[in-house]
Amino acid sequence: GESVGLHLPTLSVQEGDNSIINCAYSNSASDYFIWYKQESGKGPQFIIDIRSNMDKRQGQRVTVLLNKTVKHLSLQIAATQPGDSAVYFCAERKGGGADGLTFGKGTHLIIQP
Amino acid sequence: GAVVSQHPSRVICKSGTSVKIECRSLDFQATTMFWYRQFPKQSLMLMATSNEGSKATYEQGVEKDKFLINHASLTLSTLTVTSAHPEDSSFYICSASRPSGGFLYNEQFFGPGTRLTVL
């Protein structure tokens, strides 16, 4: 079936460096994507979202890029901090409105001092 | 911000017993609530979609008679794991959807999760 997946299960970066987390999706009909951060033993925390009619969206220290041609999504975190250590998931809205989410496999981001 | 709570946060039960997990939206009325399951070091998998006053919609492969969902009000949904077995041990997470006020995509707010361990 169609799914949302991630390229790298673990990413280790130096504190202060920028990090990029990638995600591939296969459902070309997907029109809304979200990045979540999950700390151990907690629920997902919203980071940033993007609609399919956009190719870039920026937040505080985070940027999401969407390439519909190759069905690729990325999350860029600038000037990483120890508190950024977590598992990051991309998620895809199954349909419009109130439909549930399809999550990718997750990338564990490790910030080294 | 919108807050979603879950109770209990952790539960340990014996095999064959039933366990109820509550999901509440504390400061908004949720049009829809969702239940997800997450096994260790894996992603979240949608189990079912719950609307107040109507039957839940279950994802393929999820047994509706085993995972009973009751959406009693716009702020409360419950998930009951019936006749629990060790393979049901998992992290159960709910989310609540808040009306977007005209925006196409209703934002989902996640609860903190419930860790279920079946002995």
Side-chain angles (χ1 to χ4, degrees), chain A residues 31-32 36 38 41-46 49 51-52 89-90 93-106, chain B residues 31-32 34 36 38 41-46 49 51 59 91 93 97 103-113 115:
Chain A
D31 58 359
Y32 181 56
Y36 288 96
Q38 187 180 30
K42 297 183 180 180
Q45 176 186 351
F46 174 91
D49 58 359
R51 303 184 220 182
S52 61
F89 294 96
C90 63
R93 182 83 67 181
K94 291 177 61 179
D99 289 339
L101 298 172
T102 300
F103 281 79
K105 291 185 175 64
Chain B
T31 52
T32 305
F34 304 89
Y36 296 83
Q38 184 178 31
K41 300 190 185 303
Q42 294 189 25
S43 188
L44 285 75
M45 295 295 293
L46 179 66
T49 301
N51 290 290
E59 295 299 302
F91 194 48
I93 307 170
S97 179
F103 181 56
L104 180 60
Y105 307 104
N106 296 334
E107 190 174 0
Q108 284 189 34
F109 300 91
F110 283 83
R115 176 75 59 193

Side-chain angles (χ1 to χ4, degrees), chain B residues 66-79:
Chain B
K66 180 166 185 64
F67 299 100
L68 300 179
I69 293 173
N70 182 25
H71 198 145
S73 74
L74 286 172
T75 59
L76 173 64
S77 176
T78 60
L79 169 68

Side-chain angles (χ1 to χ4, degrees), chain A residues 11 19 24 33 48 61 86 99 108:
Chain A
L11 177 63
S19 65
F33 305 89
I48 193 168
R61 285 202 304 120
D99 289 339
H108 186 192

Side-chain angles (χ1 to χ4, degrees), chain A residues 69-113:
Chain A
T69 302
V70 295
K71 290 185 279 190
H72 183 267
L73 193 68
S74 68
L75 176 69
Q76 301 177 0
I77 304 174
T80 54
Q81 303 169 356
D84 294 331
S85 293
V87 178
Y88 290 80
F89 294 96
C90 63
E92 163 190 20
R93 182 83 67 181
K94 291 177 61 179
D99 289 339
L101 298 172
T102 300
F103 281 79
K105 291 185 175 64
T107 292
H108 186 192
L109 179 63
I110 299 171
I111 308 301
Q112 295 185 341

